Amino acid sequence: EVQLVESGGGLVQPGGSLRLSCVASGFSFSNYWMNWVRQAPGKGLEWVAKIKEDGSEKYYVDSVKGRFSISRDNARNSLYLQMNSLRAEDTAVYYCARLLWWSQYDYWGQGTLVTVSS
Amino acid sequence: QSALTQPRSVSGSPGQSVTISCTGTSSDVGGYNYVSWYQQHPGKAPKLMIYDVSKRPSGVPDRFSGSKSGNTASLTISGLQAEDEADYYCSSYAGSLHVVFGGGTKLTVL
């Protein structure tokens, strides 16, 4: 059974940093592109970042470029999102999602809530 | 890229059929056959219901079907059941490794 389990969310002040983690199981993690997708409270879904199977390619939505960094450790079946210079508008539930293909996501974690507030 | 346009809400009675539309442009929905639909119950993660416009992942009931005409994709749920009550989001590949999501539609089963 495919499982994705996120952790690391919490309350952080504007300008602060947070590192999210996602541990994968039930599939060959190193064979898939992985993504972070977020959902602000009461709002829709927004793709945040993606990383290639071997970590050699990374892409970000414009609003987080230069502030967020996606990475992975295939030996630990883990995906990460380092978030710096956080803003109120980054407040959201962050989901780890496996890419099926062509920007379609077939498995999602349960999400971790990030709240940016003073 | 602008978000895809979905109705804010739709409703139907048990056993009926409902259709949710998702309108984009020739740069996303109309340009690629990579439209997907996600079901999200309150407080839960999204679940893939349809991909590649009309394909169903294993385990998704055949009551759920997808289609596309021009720049508009549609999700049809037939034989509506109480557990279908949820939010539904469409998404489309938009070229250059970009994805665009719809704003979501709340389905109410009366």
Side-chain angles (χ1 to χ4, degrees), chain A residues 33 37 39 43-47 50 57 59-60 62 95 100-111, chain B residues 33-36 38 40 44-48 50-53 55 89 91-93 97-99 101-103:
Chain A
W33 282 75
V37 179
Q39 185 172 34
K43 302 296 185 181
L45 300 167
E46 179 186 37
W47 169 78
K50 68 174 79 174
E57 294 181 34
Y59 300 92
Y60 303 90
D62 286 347
Y95 295 101
L100 173 60
W101 55 61
W102 299 107
S103 298
Q104 300 172 108
Y105 313 102
D106 59 351
Y107 286 97
W108 300 62
Q110 85 288 349
Chain B
N33 288 323
Y34 300 125
V35 175
S36 50
Y38 302 90
Q40 187 178 37
K44 301 295 186 181
K47 176 186 176 183
L48 180 65
I50 296 287
Y51 67 99
D52 290 356
V53 175
K55 297 177 181 176
Y89 293 90
S91 77
S92 174
Y93 181 68
L97 303 180
H98 287 113
V99 61
F101 285 96

Side-chain angles (χ1 to χ4, degrees), chain B residues 11-99:
Chain B
S11 62
S13 299
Q16 289 186 332
S17 292
V18 295
T19 296
I20 301 171
S21 62
C22 170
T23 301
T25 69
S26 59
S27 296
D28 38 64
V29 175
Y32 305 94
N33 288 323
Y34 300 125
V35 175
S36 50
W37 289 90
Y38 302 90
Q39 177 191 65
Q40 187 178 37
H41 288 107
K44 301 295 186 181
K47 176 186 176 183
L48 180 65
M49 304 302 284
I50 296 287
Y51 67 99
D52 290 356
V53 175
S54 60
K55 297 177 181 176
R56 279 188 312 275
S58 174
V60 173
D62 60 6
R63 302 185 295 103
F64 291 82
S65 62
S67 62
K68 189 184 84 167
S69 177
N71 296 336
T72 298
S74 299
L75 172 71
T76 298
I77 309 170
S78 59
L80 208 56
Q81 298 182 6
E83 59 262 36
D84 298 335
E85 185 163 295
D87 293 327
Y88 291 84
Y89 293 90
C90 63
S91 77
S92 174
Y93 181 68
S96 301
L97 303 180
H98 287 113
V99 61

Side-chain angles (χ1 to χ4, degrees), chain A residues 4-116:
Chain A
L4 298 168
V5 180
E6 301 95 334
S7 61
L11 174 63
V12 61
Q13 291 187 339
S17 298
L18 216 50
R19 188 195 196 207
L20 307 184
S21 299
C22 169
V23 176
S25 61
F27 67 102
S28 184
F29 180 73
S30 61
N31 288 349
Y32 289 85
W33 282 75
M34 295 298 296
N35 296 257
W36 288 99
V37 179
R38 68 185 178 184
Q39 185 172 34
K43 302 296 185 181
L45 300 167
E46 179 186 37
W47 169 78
V48 174
K50 68 174 79 174
I51 185 169
K52 195 176 179 180
E53 297 96 326
D54 62 0
S56 61
E57 294 181 34
K58 305 174 184 181
Y59 300 92
Y60 303 90
V61 67
D62 286 347
S63 60
V64 309
K65 283 180 182 175
R67 300 189 299 121
F68 289 12
S69 178
I70 189 172
S71 62
R72 65 192 296 162
D73 183 341
N74 287 342
R76 296 177 184 271
N77 290 338
S78 293
L79 175 72
Y80 306 102
L81 185 67
Q82 177 67 44
M83 304 186 295
N84 299 327
S85 302
L86 282 161
R87 306 167 180 168
E89 54 264 36
D90 296 319
T91 294
V93 174
Y94 285 72
Y95 295 101
C96 164
R98 189 179 84 168
L99 180 70
L100 173 60
W101 55 61
W102 299 107
S103 298
Q104 300 172 108
Y105 313 102
D106 59 351
Y107 286 97
W108 300 62
Q110 85 288 349
T112 187
L113 175 62
V114 173
T115 303
V116 184

